[in-house]
């Protein structure tokens, strides 16, 4: 019996030792849980904004265009609409007078990179160079530095969002209405898609470098106005943000029993 007991005791010690080696340390488990549970910082990225009222933001990317952007500015002025232009730095450097006009007429000018690369596939230093060159070009044209960034293709990592926000102070602006006007489906399709998808608080994406987009805008603006929508810049929309209804359990109330 003693031999059996000794054999069993040795086996138990061996099993316990192997179990200790297989068990990850508590510090590593805790770090993994914290990394997964850390939410993205609030107030950095906006696809749309929860607002009390029929407010929307029209945004135009990739300009300025020497011929199309002035036509759009004329149209916006006729409708008393303020829009947000996410400009390409190379185009700003080539046509600073158009950007200056847009800013003077109350439109918001924002950063859309220098040459429209994919930030999600670039080094931090190359992204930083794209942003700084465009930031400088906008400052030279308008006298003000931008406060908003729309990454080309909407491609940006969570880590990039954080350091760009910390270093440049930019809010990251995406969209919730996309008419895919860059595919040039025709003015009627662009208009129909915008009208179908737009809701209060929407950020509407389009491009002021495509003729069909500019052709679609007069009737699009007319019909959006007929629906009761009011137009503001993206920064104005963000400042209008209303608190969403809380789904948290209400505090207990005192009752007489």
């Amino acid at each position: 019996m003693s031999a059996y007991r000794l054999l069993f005791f040795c086996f138990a010690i061996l099993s316990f030792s192997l179990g200790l080696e297989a068990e990850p340390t508590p510090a590593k488990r805790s770090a993994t849980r914290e990394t997964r549970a850390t939410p993205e910082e609030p107030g950095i990225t906006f696809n749309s904004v929860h607002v009390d009222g029929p407010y929307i933001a029209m945004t135009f990317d990739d300009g300025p265009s020497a011929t199309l952007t002035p036509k759009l500015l004329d149209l916006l002025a006729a409708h008393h609409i303020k829009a947000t232009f996410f400009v390409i730095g190379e185009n700003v450097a080539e046509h600073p007078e158009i950007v200056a006009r847009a800013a003077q007429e109350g439109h918001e000018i924002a950063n859309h990179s220098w040459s429209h690369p994919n930030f999600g596939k670039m080094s931090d230093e190359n992204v930083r160079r794209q942003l700084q060159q465009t930031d400088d070009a906008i400052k030279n044209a308008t006298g003000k530095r931008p406060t908003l960034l729309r990454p080309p293709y909407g491609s940006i990592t969570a880590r990039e969002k954080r350091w760009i926000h910390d270093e440049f102070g930019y809010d990251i602006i995406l969209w919730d209405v996309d008419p895919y006007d860059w595919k040039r489906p025709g003015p009627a399709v662009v208009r129909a898609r915008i009208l179908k998808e737009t809701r209060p608080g929407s950020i509407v994406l389009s491009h002021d470098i495509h003729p069909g987009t500019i052709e679609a805008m007069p009737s699009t603006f007319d019909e959006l106005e007929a629906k009761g929508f009011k137009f503001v810049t993206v920064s104005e929309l963000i400042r209008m943000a209303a608190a969403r209804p809380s789904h948290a359990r209400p505090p207990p109330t005192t009752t007489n029993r």
Side-chain angles (χ1 to χ4, degrees):
M1 291 295 292
S2 59
Y4 285 115
R5 286 198 184 102
L6 180 62
L7 181 61
F8 177 81
F9 181 74
C10 292
F11 178 79
I13 289 181
L14 178 61
S15 299
F16 180 75
S17 299
L18 291 174
L20 284 177
E21 291 178 2
E23 177 72 43
T25 64
K28 290 182 180 178
R29 291 204 312 272
S30 177
T32 301
R33 286 199 298 270
E34 288 175 2
T35 299
R36 291 174 180 172
T38 300
E40 186 175 323
E41 289 81 354
I44 293 179
T45 307
F46 298 87
N47 298 73
S48 61
V49 180
H50 180 67
V51 294
D52 290 331
Y55 300 99
I56 61 173
M58 300 294 299
T59 69
F60 297 92
D61 286 14
D62 295 354
S65 159
T67 57
L68 297 177
T69 304
K71 290 181 180 179
L72 177 59
L73 290 172
D74 290 343
L75 178 61
L76 291 167
H79 282 261
H80 305 288
I81 291 172
K82 305 305 180 190
T84 301
F85 289 85
F86 288 91
V87 294
I88 297 296
E90 289 179 335
N91 295 338
V92 177
E94 190 171 353
H95 304 292
E97 73 287 351
I98 298 177
V99 178
R101 175 192 166 186
Q104 289 166 2
E105 294 180 0
H107 304 292
E108 184 165 24
I109 310 301
N111 198 325
H112 194 43
S113 82
W114 180 259
S115 58
H116 211 278
N118 187 329
F119 284 0
K121 299 181 179 180
M122 295 173 63
S123 69
D124 288 354
E125 188 53 41
N126 285 335
V127 171
R128 183 176 289 107
R129 188 178 300 112
Q130 287 273 331
L131 297 179
Q132 190 63 62
Q133 284 183 282
T134 307
D135 194 285
D136 291 341
I138 292 172
K139 173 65 163 57
N140 291 337
T142 69
K144 293 177 59 179
R145 293 197 179 277
T147 61
L148 308 178
L149 165 68
R150 174 170 284 160
Y153 314 105
S155 175
I156 188 170
T157 68
R159 188 184 59 80
E160 285 175 332
K161 290 179 184 180
R162 289 190 291 272
W163 75 253
I164 289 171
H165 180 77
D166 291 343
E167 190 169 319
F168 287 87
Y170 292 156
D171 287 330
I172 312 301
I173 309 301
L174 301 176
W175 58 87
D176 69 327
V177 178
D178 185 355
Y180 293 94
D181 59 325
W182 57 273
K183 292 185 176 182
R184 305 195 178 197
V189 174
V190 171
R191 178 180 64 251
R193 288 172 176 170
I194 292 175
L195 293 174
K196 179 181 178 181
E197 298 175 16
T198 301
R199 303 288 185 273
S202 282
I203 298 175
V204 182
L205 169 68
S206 50
H207 300 77
D208 56 323
I209 60 170
H210 302 307
T213 300
I214 307 306
E215 292 176 34
M217 287 302 112
S219 57
T220 300
F221 292 157
D222 285 340
E223 295 193 43
L224 287 171
E225 288 171 333
K227 288 175 174 282
F229 288 113
K230 300 182 184 299
F231 303 87
V232 295
T233 66
V234 170
S235 287
E236 289 172 332
L237 194 70
I238 291 172
R239 287 195 293 270
M240 292 177 177
R244 292 184 178 275
S246 174
H247 296 291
R249 181 179 299 176
T253 57
T254 302
T255 59
N256 296 322
R257 296 187 180 180

